Amino acid sequence: GAHVYHLASFLTGMAPSGSIVARERTHGRFPQLVDTVSCLAGWSDRVDLDAWWGKAALGYSNGLRVRAFGSKGAVEWSQLNPESLMLTTAEEGRRTLDRGVPDLKVANLNRYARFKAGHPAGFIEAFANLYRDIHGSLQSYLVGTRSSSPYVFGAEHARDCLRFLEAVSQAARGSD
């Protein structure tokens, strides 16, 4: 759930601001452990987060998929095919953007492209960058300076993430 929160916050630049509907279930070998969560959360007046995460989906180990739908287009990225981003627009239809395309300015920054295209490491790189930013933020805090990273998720973000997860859990308990 924390990874879902981090990704949604990073991709939208927003945080939850509306109601939350959720359901927690146990499907695995340990009945006392919640292993499946479905969540619908208002992220803003115009953005909703519809998320599912779990540890008991047989045959789907770490199958992260992120999809965003808007009035002018949609994008989809899958961890199982990490080199590509599917882009769909009414004007151009569906097309694939590959990480190796030179005009993808952000995807080709050294920060995200430590390995050449065809050597997928993006998911691990993303979390390495996240934790590097958190470390930098903590180091800056300890010496009394401001972090220089533009993508820092600091203490406030971690606190907000925990509040979100608690709200999801409370909403799930209310729906049972």
Side-chain angles (χ1 to χ4, degrees), residues 94 121 124-125 134 142-143 147 156 165:
R94 187 175 180 146
I124 294 169
E125 296 296 312
I134 291 171
L142 290 173
V143 297
S147 177
E156 294 86 13
L165 294 176

Side-chain angles (χ1 to χ4, degrees), residues 14-18 41-49:
M14 300 174 190
S17 62
W43 220 253
S44 77
D45 290 341
R46 298 183 349 251
V47 177
D48 290 321
L49 172 74

